[in-house]
Amino acid sequence: MADNEYCTFRLDRLTFGIEVHQVQEVIRPQPLTGVPRSNSVVAGLINLRGQIVTAIDLRKRLELPERPEGEEAMNVVVRTPEGEVSFLVDEIGDVVHVDETTFETPPDTVQGIARELITGAYKLEDRLLLILDVLKTVQLPATV
Amino acid sequence: MGAARGRRSGGRSSEAAPVSEIDEIVGEFLVESYENLDRYDEDLLALERDPKDTEVLGSIFRTIHTIKGTCGFFGFANLEAVSHVAENLLGKLREGELVVTKEIANALLATGDALRGMLSDIEATGEEGERDNADLVATLERLHAGAPVADDVPVVTEAPASDVGEDVAIDEDAAPVTDDEEPPTPRLGDLLIEQGLATPEDVALALHAQELGDKRPLGEILMDQSKTPADEVDQVLASQANARGLAESSIRVDVGLLDELMNLVGELVLARNQIVQLVTEDQDSSFASASQRLNLITTELQEGVMKTRMQPIGNVWNKLPRVVRDLALSCGNQVELVMEGQETELDKTIIEAIKDPLTHLVRNAVDHGIEPVERRIAAGKPETGRLVLRAYHEGGQVNIEIADDGAGIDPTRLKAKALEKGLITAQQAGNMGEREALQLIFNAGFSTAAKVTNVSGRGVGMDVVRTNIERIGGTVDVHTELGVGTTFKVRIPLTLAIIPALVVTSQGDRFAIPQLNLLELVRLEGEQARNGIELLHGAPVYRLRGRLLPIVRLDDELDHTRRDDGREVINIVVLQADGHQFGLVVDDISDTQEIVVKPLGGHLKDATLFAGAAIMGDGRIALILDVLGIAQRARVVSQARERSSALSDQDVVAAVDSDRQTLLLVGVGDRRAAVALSEVSRLETFDASTLEWAGGHEVVQYRDEILPLVRLGDAIGVYGTTAGEGPLEVVVHQVGGRPVGIVVDSILDIIEQELHLDDGDGRPGLLGSAVIQDRVTDVLDVAAIVANVDPARFASDAFLGA
């Protein structure tokens, strides 16, 4: 928090940010092994240098439209108390430095589940940087 | 005792060293002493059996002497004092002035305990505690002062016993026991000179060369100077290595480091696999051969690293002789402990996990299993009971048996006790077969010990034993014969991390099934593939050697769309989980391989179908199927054959009341009825045209016998049954070993659930009714339904002749 640096990525037409210290690494598209009968937002498992990491489809998690066919997802691997989790995102952006004073709580333009998972937004010059609550995001609601 | 002296002077010189370094030295001293004390106990027990074993006595002496010597320079005065008097006593034993008696052995064992206590104080606080060892010291001194034995052993007067430790090699002729005294490892140069292979001058020169910076080993220098033939140096080196012994050829390694290595090797294996795949695409021969070597080396490295985590089970067992001895003394019985297969190796984590359960089982066997001497004599058994520990590998698992030749466990008493404690109801007790009754000992809060001793019989234990063993994927079973003995059989996987697994596919995805759950593979082809699996309205079954095996399709469980059923080949993997068997239909069976089990993240907690994941050779991930999870999900439970055969018909009827039931649901008219699956021996379909009449009953010919039929609708007064032309669905039930068929309209399902019986409307042939799958369902009293059919009649020759 202190350094106000965020790793940014794109999902649909939105730009999201995760605090830099929560991000372990960013890796290119990985082969996914699906897990039948698991939560629908779980895209599958990836092999991260011998470690098995659950990949969560952030588009599904945030109830955004599905990623178009043929578009491969990048992995943003985040650290959580329960081990690493990979977020599948559309495109990786820069690490940005933000000005604390430009922060605002979630704007009404964000609706649905996303409102719970987004702590707020930094008003960048050309767009809004939506800040994702990583811990809430990896806590999947119980399903069937 | 040159080694000890060296250590002592080394200790002095390091006094100025930083505190952490001293801590480290003390730490090493503690670890070493604990290990030595463990061996000390074993040695003492061995000595008790064979007081003349000078080798063992030497080892005991060395242990105490080393502790005494080392704690001297650390300034642990109490520790030194106790070990000093013990050493004196041992000195007399070594000199042959005393022989080991039970009293001496007890005192020496107590010494070991006292030393351990002080060591643990040092470990915890850095200082020896204020333990009062005056009694022990007095006992040791008294024993030490005891009269020398009047044997013809030459009494050594030269060396007072208290000095023996300082100067052991004094008189080799008079005291042959000193022969086994561990000499410092002989130096190569000395050995070569001794054997006349090199002159002292040559060796001195070579040593000088080393001092001047020649880094080569001594033997090599001598060889290069052609002073000594190469093969002889090798020979002497080999003998030197032997002299070095086990203690110096092994080192301690942090287990965390091994775990890390294991992970790294795992990654290396994957990188290796990728390279090996690249080679086939790119036919560069030098690259190919290099990668071939990489391949081999990696495989060996992997095996090697895995081996580092393996330990012989003897490491756990070696504590047991002492446990048995002490316990037998306090229980007043005599027990001979026999251990077979100590060298059987297990993963370290598993060794740790089974330590307590095993100790508990052994304690139980000594305390409750083996009878006191008088009772054994009265029963015509040898006075000394036998407790056999046996470990062996079998099918990728380790079996451990703990067998005693004691009184055995009385199932009737178990039941009475369980009843008294309110663990079971009178009715349950009545229905319980012997095997089930035996399982009662694993219940929490259960103990049959008539008296509560300080070791066992506190009502905690066996349930914990079972829980602990099951936690590591093992099972525990008990067999007993009254008056003959009891055997506990523990089966555990070799390692938690690496398991043999069968790799199967479903819709192109690979899945691993732990070998532990695998019973057999069945392959159906052609005609069999089309008809082998009989669909009973949503409950498919396969007749495996005449038994109904519930069938689960992996595709269904995985929510994959099932491919058409017209397959030419059907692969059934017969699995067992929690005592239930079922067949899993998979698309394809690839092979068995060792997989490294990796846990799934917390986000997949609800994916109960999977026990973990593994990374396969190509770097892709395969999920490991949780066989129990699948069984529960699919609600398949096959009938417990053993149980049904052990119970009489009446038992079965009563058993309907007990909690969970596996039921076969059938349709009759517009009603549904349920029958305990344990009552069902087969399900058959007959063409209506094969119906015949005999002896006032409808019958069909069935397996060279005549099968009398009862129409369920008639028997329970449900009418409107379609007595049409269609095939007859028949539930075959056995009465006195003879089949009777119950004709139903349809077979609906096999389910498992708790049965809450309402009394029903008192119609004949019913036990009552219950709500099953949201429908009111009649629960059948099979015995009553078939009561007026005597199948034996149809079997008699007279009848067939008629």
Side-chain angles (χ1 to χ4, degrees):
Chain A
M1 234 6 154
D3 48 26
N4 290 334
E5 278 193 319
Y6 288 87
C7 172
T8 66
F9 53 86
R10 189 179 59 79
L11 278 173
D12 201 12
R13 272 162 304 185
L14 301 171
T15 305
F16 286 84
I18 294 177
E19 285 168 49
V20 161
H21 72 266
Q22 287 185 294
V23 177
Q24 177 179 303
E25 60 191 303
V26 172
I27 47 176
R28 55 193 177 76
Q30 296 287 313
L32 281 165
T33 302
V35 184
R37 296 209 188 261
S38 60
N39 198 303
S40 62
V41 306
V42 172
L45 304 173
I46 61 170
N47 171 7
L48 183 68
R49 294 185 303 278
Q51 194 188 349
I52 290 172
V53 173
T54 310
I56 292 178
D57 187 336
L58 269 199
R59 275 197 182 232
K60 281 196 182 143
R61 182 72 180 103
L62 292 165
E63 293 171 354
L64 295 169
E66 292 223 5
R67 188 170 294 108
E69 285 277 323
E71 236 180 67
E72 283 196 297
M74 297 291 288
N75 290 274
V76 177
V77 181
V78 297
R79 300 190 190 96
T80 80
E82 290 188 68
E84 286 81 5
V85 174
S86 175
F87 288 154
L88 298 188
V89 304
D90 295 358
E91 196 181 11
I92 305 290
D94 297 327
V95 171
V96 299
H97 213 88
V98 295
D99 179 357
E100 195 73 62
T101 58
T102 64
F103 185 77
E104 261 184 49
T105 45
D108 292 341
T109 47
V110 185
Q111 285 170 3
I113 183 93
R115 260 193 93 88
E116 289 175 29
L117 305 181
I118 291 168
T119 57
Y122 285 99
K123 294 165 284 181
L124 304 185
E125 273 176 33
D126 51 344
R127 64 213 148 131
L128 290 175
L129 175 62
L130 307 175
I131 303 307
L132 204 60
D133 183 330
V134 171
L135 290 185
K136 273 191 192 159
T137 307
V138 297
Q139 253 155 37
L140 307 183
T143 46
V144 266
Chain B
M1 285 284 129
R5 274 199 209 107
R7 199 181 260 270
R8 196 170 296 188
S9 58
R12 282 211 186 96
S13 67
S14 70
E15 259 164 35
V19 177
S20 65
E21 199 173 306
I22 289 177
D23 283 351
E24 215 170 88
I25 300 171
V26 173
E28 262 175 43
F29 160 65
L30 288 173
V31 172
E32 193 181 310
S33 300
Y34 282 137
E35 270 179 22
N36 286 342
L37 282 174
D38 286 346
R39 206 184 51 225
Y40 171 84
D41 278 3
E42 282 172 55
D43 287 345
L44 273 174
L45 298 185
L47 190 66
E48 216 180 1
R49 282 193 299 274
D50 180 9
K52 296 249 181 303
D53 193 334
T54 53
E55 206 164 296
V56 170
L57 188 52
S59 162
I60 296 170
F61 187 89
R62 276 195 299 281
T63 301
I64 294 295
H65 181 77
T66 309
I67 291 177
K68 184 191 113 176
T70 319
C71 60
F73 77 79
F74 283 129
F76 299 135
N78 279 339
L79 201 55
E80 193 182 6
V82 174
S83 47
H84 181 72
V85 283
E87 188 186 356
N88 288 352
L89 176 60
L90 283 164
K92 275 210 171 173
L93 291 171
R94 266 168 52 124
E95 302 299 316
E97 291 179 43
L98 288 171
V99 283
V100 181
T101 61
K102 196 135 237 163
E103 203 186 2
I104 291 180
N106 276 342
L108 288 172
L109 283 170
T111 306
D113 293 341
L115 293 177
R116 258 188 218 107
M118 285 186 270
L119 290 172
S120 69
D121 283 349
I122 293 172
E123 193 176 359
T125 64
E127 289 171 25
E128 45 180 0
E130 298 290 309
R131 288 168 196 262
D132 181 16
N133 296 305
D135 285 353
L136 177 63
V137 170
T139 311
L140 288 169
E141 276 171 350
R142 186 171 51 74
L143 290 166
H144 175 234
V149 280
D151 264 354
D152 55 350
V153 181
V155 176
V156 180
T157 46
E158 256 176 84
S162 58
D163 285 337
V164 170
E166 292 304 317
D167 197 359
V168 282
I170 30 149
D171 189 346
E172 300 202 355
D173 295 324
V177 277
T178 51
D179 276 354
D180 70 290
E181 184 55 51
E182 188 176 78
T185 306
R187 302 191 310 170
L188 179 65
D190 294 344
L191 285 172
L192 288 169
I193 297 167
E194 212 173 278
Q195 300 186 15
L197 298 171
T199 62
E201 293 74 37
D202 291 340
V203 172
L205 269 174
L207 285 172
H208 187 62
Q210 273 184 330
E211 274 164 28
L212 291 176
D214 192 332
K215 296 248 164 50
R216 294 173 298 166
L218 181 75
E220 212 176 307
I221 300 176
L222 286 170
M223 282 189 292
D224 286 356
Q225 296 173 353
S226 323
K227 302 284 199 240
T228 311
D231 51 338
E232 291 185 348
V233 172
D234 284 349
Q235 232 170 34
V236 176
L237 273 176
S239 71
Q240 189 190 24
N242 277 342
R244 198 169 281 150
L246 249 179
E248 288 176 42
S249 65
S250 63
I251 54 164
R252 286 192 191 84
V253 182
D254 184 28
V255 176
L257 180 63
L258 290 183
D259 289 344
E260 208 172 290
L261 271 181
M262 182 96 137
N263 267 335
L264 287 173
V265 167
E267 285 174 32
L268 180 64
V269 168
L270 298 178
R272 183 267 318 261
N273 294 342
Q274 281 163 0
I275 287 179
V276 169
Q277 274 173 359
L278 283 179
V279 173
T280 47
E281 293 159 20
D282 180 347
Q283 296 300 335
D284 183 343
S285 68
S286 63
F287 181 46
S289 70
S291 72
Q292 183 57 30
R293 278 193 55 209
L294 175 68
N295 189 0
L296 289 175
I297 294 168
T298 310
T299 309
E300 275 182 33
L301 181 64
Q302 189 184 18
E303 280 170 13
V305 170
M306 283 178 185
K307 270 191 203 143
T308 59
R309 296 180 49 88
M310 301 297 271
Q311 288 190 321
I313 195 165
N315 286 9
V316 187
W317 284 3
N318 57 22
K319 302 246 164 45
L320 296 176
R322 172 80 193 274
V323 171
V324 169
R325 175 191 183 274
D326 289 359
L327 192 53
L329 272 182
S330 72
C331 299
N333 52 16
Q334 293 178 10
V335 183
E336 180 199 0
L337 181 67
V338 182
M339 300 196 277
E340 296 171 10
Q342 284 111 307
E343 67 290 343
T344 310
E345 287 196 321
L346 276 170
D347 190 274
K348 187 180 162 53
T349 4
I350 295 198
I351 295 252
E352 291 298 319
I354 59 167
K355 199 190 271 172
D356 291 345
L358 275 189
T359 311
H360 197 93
L361 287 173
V362 166
R363 282 168 168 275
N364 260 348
V366 176
D367 196 20
H368 303 321
I370 291 172
E371 317 91 319
V373 175
E374 319 85 66
R375 272 182 53 202
R376 289 187 67 89
I377 294 172
K381 290 180 176 184
E383 281 176 38
T384 304
R386 237 173 104 84
L387 179 60
V388 181
L389 293 183
R390 190 178 293 125
Y392 55 96
H393 288 275
E394 189 183 69
Q397 291 179 71
V398 173
N399 290 353
I400 304 169
E401 290 174 11
I402 297 109
D404 67 57
D405 65 348
I409 302 172
D410 183 354
T412 331
R413 255 188 67 212
L414 283 180
K415 281 198 253 182
K417 196 84 181 179
L419 202 55
E420 183 191 313
K421 290 187 183 260
L423 296 171
I424 53 171
T425 64
Q427 197 170 25
Q428 281 173 319
N431 298 332
M432 220 171 247
E434 283 201 6
R435 282 191 58 81
E436 277 170 281
L438 273 180
Q439 297 297 318
L440 284 172
I441 58 170
F442 295 113
N443 268 12
F446 191 86
S447 170
T448 54
K451 60 175 192 272
V452 172
T453 67
N454 63 341
V455 278
S456 39
R458 281 164 303 185
V460 290
M462 289 309 277
D463 60 318
V464 180
V465 166
R466 173 140 89 176
T467 317
N468 286 347
I469 289 173
E470 284 179 353
R471 192 173 294 147
I472 54 167
T475 58
V476 55
D477 207 359
V478 54
H479 302 274
T480 188
E481 202 172 328
L482 217 51
V484 178
T486 307
T487 300
F488 283 91
K489 191 167 181 180
V490 178
R491 292 160 67 89
I492 36 179
L494 273 181
T495 159
L496 295 181
I498 303 153
I499 58 166
L502 180 76
V503 180
V504 302
T505 58
S506 167
Q507 310 281 294
D509 291 338
R510 281 175 300 185
F511 296 91
I513 300 173
Q515 198 100 53
L516 193 71
N517 300 108
L518 185 65
L519 291 178
E520 62 181 299
L521 302 174
V522 177
R523 184 181 164 93
L524 305 180
E525 290 178 357
E527 180 66 22
Q528 266 193 311
R530 282 185 290 278
N531 305 323
I533 294 180
E534 291 159 83
L535 265 181
L536 302 176
H537 196 83
V541 290
Y542 172 71
R543 297 181 206 179
L544 181 66
R545 290 185 287 277
R547 228 180 38 196
L548 292 179
L549 183 72
I551 291 291
V552 178
R553 286 170 201 272
L554 185 56
D555 290 354
D556 291 352
E557 294 315 308
L558 297 176
D559 213 8
H560 285 162
T561 43
R562 194 196 300 174
R563 292 203 301 220
D564 63 326
D565 286 321
R567 268 185 257 175
E568 276 307 295
V569 174
I570 291 180
N571 289 301
I572 303 175
V573 183
V574 183
L575 299 170
Q576 174 165 310
D578 202 18
H580 305 310
Q581 292 180 11
F582 67 98
L584 187 69
V585 175
V586 301
D587 286 359
D588 204 3
I589 293 170
S590 333
D591 57 353
T592 50
Q593 53 179 273
E594 305 258 293
I595 56 171
V596 178
V597 180
K598 310 230 173 186
L600 293 176
H603 313 95
L604 297 171
K605 275 195 291 280
D606 46 350
T608 52
L609 291 179
F610 309 108
I615 295 175
M616 309 305 279
D618 58 3
R620 299 290 296 257
I621 297 168
L623 288 158
I624 301 166
L625 296 179
D626 181 343
V627 173
L628 189 56
I630 291 178
Q632 278 163 355
R633 183 180 172 86
R635 289 179 308 187
V636 286
V637 193
S638 90
Q639 52 181 313
R641 290 307 281 185
E642 238 172 308
R643 184 181 310 176
S644 63
S645 60
L647 299 175
S648 70
D649 286 355
Q650 204 168 358
D651 283 335
V652 176
V653 172
V656 171
D657 278 0
S658 76
D659 284 340
R660 281 189 85 76
Q661 287 278 311
T662 306
L663 300 165
L664 175 70
L665 291 184
V666 298
V668 49
D670 56 353
R671 298 188 67 101
R672 287 155 72 99
V675 53
L677 195 59
S678 52
E679 301 255 33
V680 179
S681 64
R682 283 167 211 288
L683 300 172
E684 295 285 1
T685 307
F686 295 106
D687 196 316
S689 64
T690 60
L691 264 184
E692 295 173 64
W693 279 85
H697 285 287
E698 285 180 294
V699 298
V700 287
Q701 292 185 23
Y702 175 62
R703 301 186 167 214
D704 299 323
E705 278 184 288
I706 290 172
L707 177 71
L709 298 176
V710 178
R711 297 243 175 202
L712 184 58
D714 298 346
I716 62 172
V718 175
Y719 298 105
T721 339
T722 47
E725 300 301 305
L728 299 171
E729 297 288 358
V730 175
V731 176
V732 182
H733 168 73
Q734 300 272 338
V735 179
R738 294 280 168 193
V740 178
I742 301 169
V743 182
V744 300
D745 289 354
S746 57
I747 305 252
L748 301 174
D749 207 350
I750 294 174
I751 57 144
E752 189 190 35
Q753 75 164 55
E754 272 180 41
L755 205 51
H756 300 289
L757 274 184
D758 291 332
D759 280 340
D761 49 14
R763 273 177 297 154
L766 296 184
L767 291 169
S769 57
V771 176
I772 297 173
Q773 294 183 343
D774 299 321
R775 299 261 313 255
V776 174
T777 307
D778 294 325
V779 180
L780 303 180
D781 182 351
V782 181
I785 291 169
V786 301
N788 58 354
V789 184
D790 178 9
R793 265 179 59 210
F794 297 91
S796 70
D797 291 338
F799 179 82
L800 287 173

